[in-house]
């Protein structure tokens, strides 16, 4: 008798009509075979194997280079369940409209059945998914990003409890491109795109949109967060999770290399993008990284900004939409000095005088996490790691101080709920526009964010000792547009203050927006940050925050009666505190 998975494969095959069906086992031999086939068809280009062993270049269609948020839908029975933060389509309409696009979509192509586990295979918090795709590029990328193949099938067995993901490249037309999520059915449909965020369905689609919906029902959190451990010279390691919008330094922070002026410190990477947080047996919040690889933004990544990532991507990596040097090596803006000539991300001749970017601003690399020099010995621990602090941060040139701490858990939730950031090239939208991005989850929350904030508030009562909550902003600038804080490895100086707060070892000053460090408690030894600049970095602009409070109110109003009263109370209390004269 066929298993639930086998029945579903047969149903999809009958609709999409592939030439043949390949069940992925995740083996090295299979990977080599798929790569070889893509080299023959030109889907992949081989890089210099002496300098970049096991590395290849993929060029995507020029109209398919980023997440398409306006074509991404949450399909719940009731529109209010999806909320104003999501595009909504009724499930029946979605299946009729997009289902028609899948009919015969895989004719002449191979259907790849990609079983995968999100999370360490032995973890009680891990989940099984299966992606059906006609893209070999997606299949090999999922092998890097998840625990793919045999381990997933063994964990699944004959169960019907798995996330169903159906993906086809279709004809890559933006007019026939849809990314649909059916959270009540734990199902994902994606057609018309081969870009990672739209096509690697285990990533944003499963691990955030579908998982966040399930997390609310089951009492945990699925978040757009890095996880890292900070080991102090005395051997104590403190684990934190941090949410930043895409391309705002999340991966760099996850792999931070301590500055030489802070000897004895070590930063351990658990994950750089997604965290699943559960209440552990001890009542604390514990986090696992559901992914097995990194899908990182290439531009700006170099040996100064992220030496650990540069060491990671030197082998067994897929590069997408970067430039190709005559030496057969990848290059992107910010990596090193520009080559005299290259082929740009579309394969066209390029020189520094071309007046265009050699690599696409959202060019990427997909690389195994196990290769990262800073990966923690605990990164695949089945129970995860205990989280002592949560950080929310965006890209703001002004207003938001370098760091401040929430007064308590409800205020911390408010800090996350009111976070905003300047947009980047990770999504198809204007760059540099300040937009609300609560918990860096606005594009990824699979349900109404009013209910999401309520769930966050409720989690505080589920945890015996909730983590402290902080806001950070590495991007504050002078009136002349110069960054005031050096960033990168020196961000550890800020994290050290927060750890001191976690362990009750450092004081802070109470301000209307939260607890702000005393300038003397942020170590600036060895960096070019004067006392005056430090004061500016920590300054609370009351008038600016009062103006921002108006935007917060406007953002909250769209959720109507789904917004918890506690969020309004926090907003009103902020306005009162700001209005009190000093």
């Amino acid at each position: 008798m066929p298993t639930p998975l086998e029945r579903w494969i047969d149903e999809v095959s009958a609709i999409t009509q592939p030439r043949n069906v390949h069940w992925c086992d995740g083996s090295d031999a299979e990977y080599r075979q798929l790569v070889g086939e893509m080299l023959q068809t030109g889907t992949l280009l081989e890089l210099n194997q002496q300098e970049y062993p096991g590395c290849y270049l993929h060029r995507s269609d020029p109209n398919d280079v980023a997440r398409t948020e306006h074509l991404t839908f949450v399909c719940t029975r009731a529109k209010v369940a999806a909320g104003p933060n999501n595009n909504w389509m009724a499930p029946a309409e979605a299946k009729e409209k997009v289902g028609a696009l899948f009919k015969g979509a895989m004719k002449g192509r191979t259907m790849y059945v990609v079983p995968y586990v999100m999370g360490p295979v032995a973890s009680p918090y891990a989940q099984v998914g299966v992606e059906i795709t006609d893209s070999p590029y997606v299949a090999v990328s999922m092998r890097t990003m998840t625990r793919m193949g045999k381990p997933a099938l063994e964990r699944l067995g004959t169960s019907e409890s798995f996330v169903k993901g159906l993906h086809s490249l279709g004809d890559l037309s933006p007019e026939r491109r849809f990314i649909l999520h059916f959270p009540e059915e734990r199902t994902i449909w994606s057609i018309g795109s081969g870009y990672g965020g739209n096509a690697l369905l285990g990533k944003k689609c499963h691990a955030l949109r579908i998982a966040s919906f399930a997390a609310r029902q089951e009492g945990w959190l699925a978040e757009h967060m890095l996880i890292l451990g900070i080991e102090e010279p005395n051997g104590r390691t403190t684990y934190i999770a941090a949410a930043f919008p895409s391309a705002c330094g999340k991966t760099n922070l996850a792999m931070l290399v301590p500055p030489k002026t802070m000897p004895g410190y070590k930063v351990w990477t658990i994950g750089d993008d997604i965290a699943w947080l559960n209440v552990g047996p001890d009542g604390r919040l514990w986090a696992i990284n559901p992914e097995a690889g990194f899908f990182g933004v290439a531009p700006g990544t170099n040996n100064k900004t992220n030496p650990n990532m540069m060491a990671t991507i030197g082998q067994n990596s897929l590069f997408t939409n970067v430039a190709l040097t005559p030496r057969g090596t990848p290059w992107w803006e910010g990596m090193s000095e520009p080559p005299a000539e290259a082929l740009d991300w579309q394969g066209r001749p390029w020189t520094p005088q071309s007046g265009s970017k050699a690599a696409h601003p959202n060019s990427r690399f997909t690389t195994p996490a196990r290769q990262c020099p800073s990966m923690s010995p605990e990164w695949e621990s089945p129970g995860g790691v205990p989280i002592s602090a949560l950080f929310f941060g965006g890209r703001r040139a002004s207003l938001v101080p370098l760091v401040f701490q929430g007064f308590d858990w409800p205020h911390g939730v408010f800090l996350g709920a009111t976070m905003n950031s300047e947009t980047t090239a990770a999504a198809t939208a204007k760059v540099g526009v300040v937009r609300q991005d609560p918990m860096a989850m606005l594009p990824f929350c699979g349900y109404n964010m009013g209910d999401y904030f309520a769930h966050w508030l409720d989690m505080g009562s589920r945890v015996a000792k909730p983590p402290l909550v902080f806001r950070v902003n590495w991007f504050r600038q002078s009136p002349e547009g110069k960054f005031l804080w050096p960033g990168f490895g020196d961000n550890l100086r800020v994290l050290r203050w927060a750890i001191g707060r976690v362990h009750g070892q450092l004081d802070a000053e109470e301000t209307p927006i939260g607890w702000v460090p005393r300038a003397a408690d942020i170590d600036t030894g060895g960096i070019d940050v004067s006392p005056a600049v430090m004061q500016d970095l920590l300054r609370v602009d009351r008038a600016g925050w009062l103006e921002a409070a108006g935007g917060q109110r406007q953002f909250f109003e769209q959720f109507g009666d789904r917004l918890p009263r506690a969020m309004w109370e926090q907003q009103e209390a902020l306005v009162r505190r700001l209005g009190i004269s000093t």
Side-chain angles (χ1 to χ4, degrees), residues 231-570:
E231 182 179 333
E232 299 171 79
N234 62 10
R236 180 176 64 188
T237 299
T238 305
Y239 295 97
I240 69 170
F244 296 82
S246 297
C248 285
K250 197 158 75 277
T251 298
N252 292 347
L253 183 62
M255 300 178 186
L256 183 149
V257 175
K260 292 179 180 179
T261 51
M262 296 180 67
Y265 278 85
K266 170 73 177 177
V267 172
W268 295 105
T269 306
I270 308 292
D272 81 320
D273 193 45
I274 299 175
W276 286 356
L277 301 111
N278 288 266
V279 181
D282 61 357
R284 290 187 293 174
L285 207 56
W286 290 70
I288 64 166
N289 169 18
E291 300 186 289
F294 303 124
F295 179 63
V297 177
T301 304
N302 57 50
N303 283 317
K304 177 186 176 184
T305 62
N306 198 334
N308 279 324
M309 183 59 91
M310 292 299 290
T312 303
I313 61 179
Q315 58 183 332
N316 306 316
S317 301
L318 296 181
F319 295 87
T320 301
N321 295 337
V322 300
L324 181 64
T325 73
R327 210 169 67 246
T329 59
W331 187 84
W332 51 81
E333 278 71 17
M335 178 184 181
S336 59
E337 287 297 313
E341 60 178 315
L343 295 178
D344 75 3
W345 66 276
Q346 296 184 67
R348 304 171 302 190
W350 177 92
T351 70
Q353 291 74 44
S354 293
S356 61
K357 299 283 188 183
H360 188 274
N362 195 40
S363 54
R364 298 276 177 158
F365 43 74
T366 309
T367 189
R370 66 178 183 276
Q371 297 179 176
C372 179
S374 61
M375 287 310 287
S376 166
E378 302 296 326
W379 88 278
E380 292 196 284
S381 174
V385 295
I387 300 299
S388 297
L390 299 175
F391 290 77
F392 296 111
R395 182 182 289 268
R396 293 299 310 273
S398 60
L399 188 64
V400 181
L402 177 63
V403 60
F404 62 101
Q405 177 193 335
F407 294 125
D408 52 25
W409 181 259
H411 184 230
V413 174
F414 174 75
L415 295 183
T418 55
M419 188 174 79
N420 51 29
S421 184
E422 296 161 13
T423 54
T424 68
T428 51
K430 290 183 179 179
V431 174
V433 178
V434 176
R435 76 167 183 179
Q436 297 293 137
D437 195 355
M439 283 81 165
M441 278 286 284
L442 188 67
F444 309 121
C445 183
Y447 62 102
N448 191 312
M449 275 199 130
D451 298 333
Y452 171 78
F453 300 145
H455 178 49
W456 261 86
L457 290 166
D458 181 60
M459 285 296 293
S461 64
R462 293 171 180 262
V463 183
K465 186 180 179 183
L468 300 187
V469 181
F470 299 86
R471 278 279 299 271
V472 293
N473 176 27
W474 318 128
F475 303 98
R476 193 149 171 170
Q477 297 179 22
S478 69
E480 297 75 34
K482 179 184 177 183
F483 287 113
L484 298 178
W485 182 250
F488 307 116
D490 288 308
N491 291 338
L492 182 57
R493 300 169 186 272
V494 175
L495 300 184
R496 182 164 69 173
W497 174 78
I499 290 172
R501 295 290 292 164
V502 165
H503 298 294
Q505 296 171 326
L506 286 177
D507 214 335
E509 295 180 1
E510 185 175 355
T511 76
I513 64 170
W515 296 102
V516 173
R518 298 175 303 187
D521 285 334
I522 302 289
D523 176 18
T524 56
I527 58 174
D528 185 20
V529 176
S530 68
V533 168
M534 198 70 232
Q535 291 290 348
D536 198 15
L537 280 164
L538 299 176
R539 184 172 59 88
V540 176
D541 176 3
R542 285 175 178 261
W545 278 97
L546 269 172
E547 183 180 348
Q552 294 169 359
R553 187 169 191 85
Q554 186 177 8
F555 176 72
F556 279 169
E557 284 173 347
Q558 67 183 311
F559 299 105
D561 60 7
R562 305 292 277 230
L563 188 80
R565 177 61 199 160
M567 288 292 94
W568 283 123
E569 291 171 352
Q570 289 290 335

Side-chain angles (χ1 to χ4, degrees), residues 149-210:
K150 188 177 178 181
L153 288 177
E154 289 176 347
R155 176 157 176 146
L156 179 61
T158 60
S159 171
E160 59 182 0
S161 180
F162 62 95
V163 172
K164 300 179 177 70
L166 172 58
H167 168 257
S168 173
L169 293 170
D171 59 7
L172 292 178
S173 168
E175 286 74 38
R176 288 176 290 279
R177 179 176 298 159
F178 294 93
I179 300 91
L180 306 179
H181 304 78
F182 304 87
E184 292 153 338
E185 305 171 38
R186 301 183 74 210
T187 297
I188 307 158
W189 285 7
S190 174
I191 191 165
S193 174
Y195 172 73
N198 301 328
L200 306 183
L201 301 187
K203 193 167 176 59
K204 306 297 192 189
C205 297
H206 176 169
L208 287 179
R209 296 191 188 100
I210 296 297

